[in-house]
């Protein structure tokens, strides 16, 4: 007789508050790409993409929190904190786009496949905690509104670009050249949010 899941004690969620810079990235039009190339080729392309993206995140001392089918979530400042984590996050996001562009060009030349990435960046308070049942599966992750806002930045980014929230922009304004893109309405946030594209 398997145990009744409802009778299991749900572990208390305990966490530590930290300020982190969050990156969310995803492949634009990945479902169309999957239909075009088939599962095996798609998995191969995604694996190569993840290796490329991961390398650029770890190069600047961030860490990948999770891979999600056609994208990833990464943090700067949750495991190891640096004063310049927001800057590292933006530099890493731009490096990811450059590296993916090079890979996309080789794919286009060889296979006629179009590949582009959207990247969103936000800085804010997260709760670093362990989720799941420790007897079956658990993992450390960071959660909170700041992660949700990074996801909105990623969803609103033009393919091939990085979109940065005002929270991050204010911390690194002088380190980059910017294209201000005005304000956008963000689900779950009452006021429109100013967004920026780092250029160099």
């Amino acid at each position: 007789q398997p145990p009744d899941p409802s009778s299991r004690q749900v572990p208390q969620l305990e966490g530590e508050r930290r300020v982190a810079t969050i990156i969310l990235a995803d492949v634009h039009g990945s479902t169309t790409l999957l239909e075009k190339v088939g599962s095996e080729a798609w998995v191969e392309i995604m694996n190569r993409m993840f290796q490329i993206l991961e390398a650029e995140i770890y190069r600047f001392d961030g860490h990948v929190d999770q891979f999600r089918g056609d994208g990833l979530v990464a943090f700067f400042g949750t495991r190891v904190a640096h004063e310049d984590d927001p800057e590292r996050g933006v530099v890493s996001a731009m490096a990811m786009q450059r590296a993916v562009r090079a890979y996309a060009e080789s794919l286009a030349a060889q296979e006629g496949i179009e590949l582009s990435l959207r990247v969103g960046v936000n800085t804010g308070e997260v709760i670093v905690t362990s989720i799941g049942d420790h007897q079956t599966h658990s993992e450390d992750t960071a959660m909170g509104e700041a992660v949700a806002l990074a996801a909105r930045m990623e969803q609103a980014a033009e393919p091939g670009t990085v979109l940065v929230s005002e929270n991050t922009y204010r911390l690194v304004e002088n380190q980059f050249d910017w294209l201000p893109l005005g304000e956008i309405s963000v689900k779950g946030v009452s006021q429109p949010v100013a967004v920026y594209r780092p250029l160099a």
Side-chain angles (χ1 to χ4, degrees):
Q1 182 77 4
D4 174 9
S6 64
S7 69
R8 268 216 320 255
Q9 288 251 303
V10 177
Q12 280 299 103
L13 210 57
E14 290 175 12
E16 186 183 332
R17 290 177 182 276
R18 299 215 186 133
V19 172
T21 294
I22 305 119
I23 289 182
L24 266 88
D26 84 322
V27 173
H28 178 66
S30 62
T31 312
T32 309
L33 178 62
L34 173 58
E35 285 171 1
K36 183 176 177 179
V37 301
S39 295
E40 279 185 32
W42 187 81
V43 167
E44 207 174 292
I45 290 166
M46 289 301 145
N47 277 341
R48 181 73 192 110
M49 278 275 297
F50 288 146
Q51 288 169 357
I52 290 166
L53 299 180
E54 195 176 24
E56 298 303 333
I57 288 157
Y58 285 109
R59 186 150 74 97
F60 297 101
D61 225 5
H63 87 274
V64 174
D65 184 66
Q66 55 182 277
F67 294 107
R68 297 176 165 176
D70 64 353
L72 59 75
V73 183
F75 294 101
F76 287 79
T78 52
R79 290 192 183 171
V80 182
H82 309 89
E83 277 184 23
D84 60 349
D85 275 323
E87 185 180 349
R88 287 168 186 261
V90 176
V91 169
S92 172
M94 294 173 77
M96 285 160 69
Q97 284 291 17
R98 268 197 307 276
V100 164
R101 216 165 281 135
Y103 177 50
E105 282 169 11
S106 73
L107 271 182
Q110 291 164 28
E111 319 275 346
I113 292 167
E114 282 184 36
L115 192 71
S116 62
L117 193 71
R118 300 183 301 182
V119 185
V121 183
N122 180 44
T123 304
E125 191 177 74
V126 296
I127 296 174
V128 180
T129 187
S130 181
I131 56 169
D133 182 337
H134 291 271
Q135 291 172 337
T136 51
H137 172 76
S138 69
E139 58 186 66
D140 293 332
T141 189
M143 300 189 290
E145 282 180 32
V147 181
L149 187 54
R152 301 282 177 251
M153 295 299 103
E154 175 244 313
Q155 289 154 11
E158 289 284 323
T161 70
V162 176
L163 195 63
V164 173
S165 72
E166 190 167 19
N167 299 341
T168 305
Y169 168 79
R170 280 201 298 261
L171 298 167
V172 296
E173 184 180 350
N174 298 328
Q175 272 85 3
F176 300 89
D177 294 334
W178 298 95
L179 176 64
L181 294 172
E183 294 183 333
I184 61 168
S185 293
V186 173
K187 196 173 154 191
V189 180
S190 56
Q191 298 296 316
V193 176
V195 293
Y196 303 83
R197 182 184 299 163
L199 301 174

